[in-house]
Each structure stands twice: as C-alpha cells, then as structure tokens.
Amino acid sequence: QVRYTWLDALAIIGRLNADSAVALNDSPRGRLDALQETWGEDAQTPGRLASFDIPSQWLILIVCWGIALWLLMIFVPAVLRKYKWDPASKRLHLPGGATLVPSDIAEFDKRKWEKFLVFLRIGEGHESLGGKELKLDLYRHNPLESWILEMERIAFPEQASESAGQDDDTQEAGAPKAAEASA
C-alpha cells in the first residue's frame, strides 16, 4: 500500500518513470533514512496531493493570464493616448497631433457625462477636424475633465454657468461630481 501511494503521488505530479519505481525497490529503509535526515523529526511533512491539485493550478494560471491580458488591452491604449494642455494659450493637444482651442468647438455634448464621456462637435473652420465629433474618455485621462470644463467656460460662459448650477444640484442630491468620482 505504501509503494502504491508513493507511485500514485509521483504519477499525480507527472514524475512517474521507470527510474523512480526502481529506486523505490532498491532500499526502502535507506530511502526512509534519507528522507528523515532531509526533513528531520520536527519538520512538517507536506500533505498528500489530490488528483485535481495540479490541473486546478493550471486552470488558475489560465484565468489569471486571461485577466492580465484583458487589463493590458485596457491600459496600453490609455497610456499611449496622451493629451496635453497649454494653459497660456488654452490649447488642447490631441493624441493625433491636432490641437483645439475653445473657439474651434461648436458644441460640448455631455449626454453621457455620468459615464465620464464628452462629445465635442468641432466647427467647420478647423483645418483637420472640421465638422467631426470627438468622443473623449474623461475617466481614463484624469486631468482632461478640468481642461474640457475650462474650454467650455471660455467658449460658452452662459452654458458653463448653467451646467455648474446643475452639478451643484446633483451634488446635493447625493450623486458625485465626475472630478470627485475619478479621483
């Protein structure tokens, strides 16, 4: 029974071969003495492996690598997409190389503001983005929200003051502001 248990344990970890079976038959007493010398009398011997222990470790590895790959697919594009702000000229530099000033923007569409998205409709006069609508993710690019709000205050001061009043009402109702939630 002891030999069967030993060979079964070797089979579970994938180390069962002809040499291990021969080594077991050579000198059981010598093998026991060697193991007692290695582990000592005070050492805790490891528990017996179940047949599902090793496959479950492989399953955990596959699941963790899947999650890591998914996170990598989220982080890499966000890191590569860089926005820059020039406070002196109030100019937003976009990842593609284009720049925007408040006068270039025809509309600040905040229909998905609670999801940290803003859509900018660019005026026809812009050299490269004229007539297009840009979707900006404020959640993944933290300082972008304050830059967009500053551009809105400059381009449409009356609209910015109305939306600021709505934000205050929403804050009192218990919903967090986008800046506080993303921080």
Side-chain angles (χ1 to χ4, degrees), residues 94 99-101 103-107 119-134 151:
L94 301 174
T99 61
L100 293 174
V101 293
S103 60
D104 291 336
I105 301 170
E107 180 184 4
F119 298 88
L120 303 179
R121 193 168 52 83
I122 309 301
E124 297 294 332
H126 194 272
E127 64 275 356
S128 61
L129 300 173
K132 293 184 180 178
E133 183 175 78
L134 298 177
M151 289 176 75

Side-chain angles (χ1 to χ4, degrees), residues 36-72:
Q36 283 179 343
E37 183 179 315
T38 301
W39 289 99
E41 292 189 22
D42 296 333
Q44 235 181 345
T45 57
R48 182 166 184 237
L49 287 176
S51 60
F52 61 85
D53 284 344
I54 301 298
S56 67
Q57 293 297 315
W58 282 107
L59 180 64
I60 291 169
L61 175 79
I62 291 168
V63 168
C64 289
W65 274 106
I67 292 170
L69 182 64
W70 175 65
L71 288 174
L72 195 63

Side-chain angles (χ1 to χ4, degrees), residues 66-83:
I67 292 170
L69 182 64
W70 175 65
L71 288 174
L72 195 63
M73 289 174 22
I74 291 173
F75 286 141
V76 168
V79 168
L80 294 178
R81 190 174 297 129
K82 299 225 184 255
Y83 296 92

Side-chain angles (χ1 to χ4, degrees), residues 85 90 101-108 120-121 147-161:
W85 176 250
K90 306 296 184 203
V101 293
S103 60
D104 291 336
I105 301 170
E107 180 184 4
F108 291 87
L120 303 179
R121 193 168 52 83
W147 300 339
I148 295 296
L149 291 174
E150 186 172 348
M151 289 176 75
E152 183 184 26
R153 278 192 296 274
I154 294 168
F156 306 106
E158 66 284 345
Q159 182 181 351
S161 64

